[in-house]
């Protein structure tokens, strides 16, 4: 993504802060996503980067990206504490949190393929959840042809290997069809009963007229 000429000095300043922080606390995967967020902010019209401090923007970017990658989860191989952010950028926690919220809204950072670091892609259910005919499915267990369609639409990060559990989709589809057939049969039976009741009423009326 091309950086506007007027924002190039600002970009370089914030990018340098991100590179130093990610080198010390995180890794290249996080740096890539943080720089992507910075580029998007540079290309907003008008860009919000014309105002505010560079270290505040850098801290907000790290938190905005980190939150959708469970960055405070100590079970993750790469994780942070809020103190790390405060110390690394010399910014108050409340200020960082506020800026991160602002950034997420501005450039739509969410639990998605675009904002998930590659090493977490396999384990992040948000990267694999798709909706088909009003039902939510884990795309890893869909038939291959549907996985290809999801991938081509950018809904999943890659086409997973064939998995025996992809019968989940067929089972759900079959259950849906069975439910629809059962409902149709019940409606048909109700219609027959109504017709039968009407016929009995008519027969009674006819008998009354004869008498």
């Amino acid at each position: 993504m091309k950086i506007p000429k007027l924002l190039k000095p600002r970009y370089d300043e914030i990018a340098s802060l991100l590179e130093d922080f990610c080198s010390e606390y995180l890794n290249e995967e996080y740096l890539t996503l943080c720089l992507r967020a910075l580029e998007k902010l540079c290309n907003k019209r008008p860009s919000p980067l014309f105002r505010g401090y560079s270290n505040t923007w850098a801290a907000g970017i790290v938190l905005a990206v980190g939150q959708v990658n469970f960055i405070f989860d100590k079970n993750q191989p790469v994780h942070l504490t809020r103190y790390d952010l405060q110390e690394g950028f010399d910014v108050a926690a409340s200020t960082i949190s506020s800026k991160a919220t602002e950034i997420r809204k501005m450039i739509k950072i969410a639990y998605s393929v675009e904002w998930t670091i590659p090493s977490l892609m396999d384990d992040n259910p948000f990267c694999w959840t798709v909706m088909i005919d009003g039902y939510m499915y884990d795309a890893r267990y869909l038939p291959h042809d549907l996985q290809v369609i999801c991938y081509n639409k950018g809904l999943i990060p890659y086409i997973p290997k064939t998995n025996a559990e992809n019968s989940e989709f067929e089972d759900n589809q079959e259950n849906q069809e069975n439910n629809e057939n059962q409902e149709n049969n019940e409606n048909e039976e109700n219609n027959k009963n109504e017709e039968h009741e009407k016929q009995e009423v008519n027969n009674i009326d006819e008998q009354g007229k004869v008498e």
Side-chain angles (χ1 to χ4, degrees), residues 170-207:
E170 285 90 342
D171 290 342
N172 286 341
Q173 290 292 93
E174 184 177 350
N175 289 336
Q176 183 180 351
E177 290 176 3
N178 289 339
N179 289 337
E180 290 176 353
N181 290 336
Q182 182 178 353
E183 184 178 347
N184 290 335
N185 290 336
E186 290 176 354
N187 290 336
E188 186 176 344
E189 185 65 27
N190 289 336
N191 290 335
K192 288 181 179 179
N193 290 336
E194 289 178 3
E195 288 295 327
H196 181 69
E197 290 175 0
K198 288 180 181 179
Q199 186 61 44
E200 288 184 341
V201 170
N202 290 336
N203 290 340
I204 294 173
D205 290 342
E206 290 296 327
Q207 291 175 5

Side-chain angles (χ1 to χ4, degrees), residues 53-196:
Y53 296 105
S54 294
N55 60 331
T56 302
W57 280 110
I61 288 171
V62 171
L63 181 56
V65 169
Q67 285 175 322
V68 296
N69 286 283
F70 316 105
I71 203 168
F72 295 128
D73 183 354
K74 294 180 180 179
N75 294 319
Q76 298 292 341
V78 179
H79 61 272
L80 286 178
T81 66
R82 295 188 183 277
Y83 179 76
D84 292 331
L85 277 173
Q86 290 177 252
E87 184 182 58
F89 291 106
D90 192 24
V91 181
S94 58
T95 303
I96 298 174
S97 179
S98 176
K99 185 61 69 176
T101 300
E102 181 184 353
I103 291 170
R104 285 201 310 272
K105 289 180 180 178
M106 281 192 292
I107 57 176
K108 296 180 174 58
I109 294 179
Y111 295 99
S112 64
V113 173
E114 181 181 10
W115 295 108
T116 298
I117 60 174
S119 59
L120 291 183
M121 203 75 75
D122 290 344
D123 299 322
N124 189 342
F126 295 102
C127 294
W128 298 99
T129 302
V130 296
M131 181 175 286
I132 301 175
D133 294 335
Y135 290 86
M136 303 297 290
Y137 294 95
D138 187 328
R140 288 170 291 188
Y141 307 123
L142 290 176
H144 180 73
D145 56 337
L146 290 180
Q147 291 175 340
V148 172
I149 293 173
C150 290
Y151 174 74
N152 289 337
K153 290 185 174 183
L155 301 178
I156 58 176
Y158 59 84
I159 300 174
K161 294 180 180 179
T162 302
N163 192 310
E165 293 183 36
N166 63 9
S167 61
E168 173 192 355
F169 177 79
E170 285 90 342
D171 290 342
N172 286 341
Q173 290 292 93
E174 184 177 350
N175 289 336
Q176 183 180 351
E177 290 176 3
N178 289 339
N179 289 337
E180 290 176 353
N181 290 336
Q182 182 178 353
E183 184 178 347
N184 290 335
N185 290 336
E186 290 176 354
N187 290 336
E188 186 176 344
E189 185 65 27
N190 289 336
N191 290 335
K192 288 181 179 179
N193 290 336
E194 289 178 3
E195 288 295 327
H196 181 69

